[in-house]
Amino acid sequence: SKMVMAQGWQADVACDVAQAMAMTAQREAGGEAYDVVFIDGQLPAIDEWQALQLRRLEVGTLKPVVVTMVTTTGRETLSHRGLIEQRSLGSFVVKPVTASMLFDAVVDAWLGGSAKQRTRDKPVTPTGSLKGMRLLVVEDNANNRQVAQELLMAEGAEVALAENGEQGVRAVFEAQPPFDAVLMDIQMPVMDGYTATARIRERAGFETLPIIAMTANAMASDRQACLDAGMSSHVGKPFDLADLVSTLLRHTGRVQPGASAPPVTELPPPGDLLKAAELGGIDMDAAIRRLGGNTPVYGRMLRSFLKDLPGMLTNLDAHVAEAAWADAALMTHTLKGLTGMLGASDLCASAATANWAFESVAPAELSADVVRALKVAAENFARAAAPLVPALVELGTAKAPDPDSASRSLHKRRLGEMLVLLQASDMRALDLFEQLRAGPHGLEVSDLEALETAMGALDFEQAAAACRQLLAGVAA
């Protein structure tokens, strides 16, 4: 309770499940509710508490975010239950707990969908709210850049990208016309988000440019550090599209325009796919909801992540072997953000634990255990997620516009359009590629292998070379 109150929160204390149930009932009878309940997972009668939460979940009753404090053994026992049961217990933290662990668990629960479901049951469809807004996304992870660009463009924004703070500063100063806002990651190589923001603020004319921090770190001290560095606001990772749009509108002083951008067609995944994901411990439903209901974006993100994951773990091993703790912390920080966005709760929790370990005072003593646990979680996730990708990709291409298969000239024009987008590092090339995969029109599937490999790695330079080769074949 002292840790909780140190966050500036008010706290009541119960000594057992019966008292906790009585106190929550009394508060709700008075028209109020606890925002969060921290409960010991090994308390006698904990099943009674879970039964109460399940009933509330089933009837849609307003309920608090529940953070269950357990031992490692207790967590393993609870993790074998279905996702619906796990949702009734909310987030988990493993004892011994720290103040930062408690805070992160609450933030992850809210951003992960548990609290969002209390007020919004349906995905938010694109509204074109950002039509005409010029945005810069500064993010070192290619997967995160792809997702942010696709979702923001679906809302009508024009989006430019930068891979680190140094590129971001240069892009801000050279932009004509200027950007309306910047979305800035914090932990990046070359130059971090704090330094980049300070550089921008030093230049006359950029004192009030909205700079929104994007980070998986959500402690009060982290948010204050963002403000101290000159940032305008803070959004957590995984971000919720509706919250991100609202933040951008608020800080740019925009009113939603009457005209809207062409909406992205919602393609909700079939129930059997959601069930398979749930059995594998993946909350795909919440993840897609955070993406505004855009299942194809989720499918592409999942496919790219599975390709990148082995390399990330190999790099992590190298960092640990070299005692490069800052690099290991950056790697696990990135992994935490990506897995949170994908709804991979167990892998996200392992990445968060590893990230904390590498940022702690004794990373050498903790590294072996946390890396071992992280790899087990990664293997479990990959085993569950890999079978989902083909169906998600097929869903994303099933309704893609089909070029006229009878017209070689039109097919050539499509490849030409894709080449132009690739040369401009425009993420819309991914959509054209999915259309090409759905109906290659005279091309063998093997012809697309080089292009698919390059697109999967987001290597636009290599993809452009493969595209030129395909164009040469069509012309011949």
Side-chain angles (χ1 to χ4, degrees), residues 264-270 273 288 292-297 392-400:
V264 174
T265 303
E266 285 185 32
L267 297 172
L273 201 60
I288 292 174
N294 198 321
T295 300
V297 168
L392 287 168
V393 170
E394 181 180 356
L395 183 66
T397 59
K399 296 187 179 182

Side-chain angles (χ1 to χ4, degrees), residues 113-382:
S114 300
K116 296 297 178 186
Q117 292 169 7
R118 301 190 299 175
T119 56
R120 184 177 65 249
D121 294 326
K122 296 182 179 179
V124 177
T125 56
T127 62
S129 302
L130 306 181
K131 186 173 178 62
M133 189 179 292
R134 287 174 48 81
L135 301 175
L136 173 66
V137 175
V138 187
E139 163 70 58
D140 67 308
N141 183 268
N143 213 341
N144 283 341
R145 289 197 303 273
Q146 172 194 341
V147 170
Q149 184 179 45
E150 289 198 49
L151 295 178
L152 293 169
M153 287 177 62
E155 290 292 339
E158 299 176 32
V159 183
L161 303 174
E163 297 182 13
N164 56 60
E166 186 176 279
Q167 289 185 11
V169 172
R170 186 164 58 248
V172 167
F173 292 160
E174 295 176 355
Q176 290 297 329
F179 293 112
D180 295 302
V182 176
L183 294 170
M184 182 77 73
D185 190 21
I186 298 298
Q187 294 190 22
M188 295 180 288
V190 184
M191 182 185 291
D192 64 35
Y194 296 132
T195 305
T197 299
R199 295 278 177 86
I200 293 171
R201 294 297 188 220
E202 289 171 357
R203 179 73 66 91
F206 295 96
E207 298 89 348
T208 60
L209 171 68
I211 301 177
I212 314 299
M214 296 192 304
T215 177
N217 289 342
M219 288 289 294
S221 58
D222 297 313
R223 296 199 306 277
Q224 187 59 48
C226 292
L227 298 177
D228 291 343
M231 296 181 175
S232 310
S233 188
H234 171 285
V235 293
K237 293 181 183 177
F239 63 79
D240 179 279
L241 178 59
D243 291 343
L244 181 59
V245 169
S246 175
T247 299
L248 286 167
L249 290 173
R250 184 170 70 254
H251 284 280
T252 57
R254 298 292 184 93
V255 178
Q256 291 191 9
S260 62
V264 174
T265 303
E266 285 185 32
L267 297 172
D272 57 345
L273 201 60
L274 289 174
K275 184 64 176 178
E278 178 181 323
L279 292 174
I282 303 170
D283 198 345
M284 183 191 296
D285 186 40
I288 292 174
R289 184 179 292 110
R290 283 193 297 272
L291 297 175
N294 198 321
T295 300
V297 168
Y298 179 84
R300 289 195 289 272
M301 185 178 182
L302 182 61
R303 182 176 61 186
S304 295
F305 177 72
L306 287 174
K307 288 182 178 180
D308 293 344
L309 183 56
M312 296 177 75
L313 295 176
T314 299
N315 289 339
L316 181 60
D317 282 337
H319 296 326
V320 172
E322 297 169 1
W325 307 124
D327 291 334
L330 180 59
M331 176 64 71
T332 50
H333 174 83
T334 298
L335 191 57
K336 179 173 68 170
L338 286 170
T339 52
M341 201 72 181
L342 289 167
S345 54
D346 286 342
L347 183 51
C348 182
S350 294
T353 299
N355 182 245
W356 166 80
F358 292 129
E359 292 179 345
S360 73
V361 294
E365 299 174 15
L366 300 169
S367 61
D369 289 339
V370 297
V371 170
R372 188 182 304 111
L374 182 60
K375 287 183 176 180
V376 170
E379 290 173 4
N380 292 338
F381 172 77

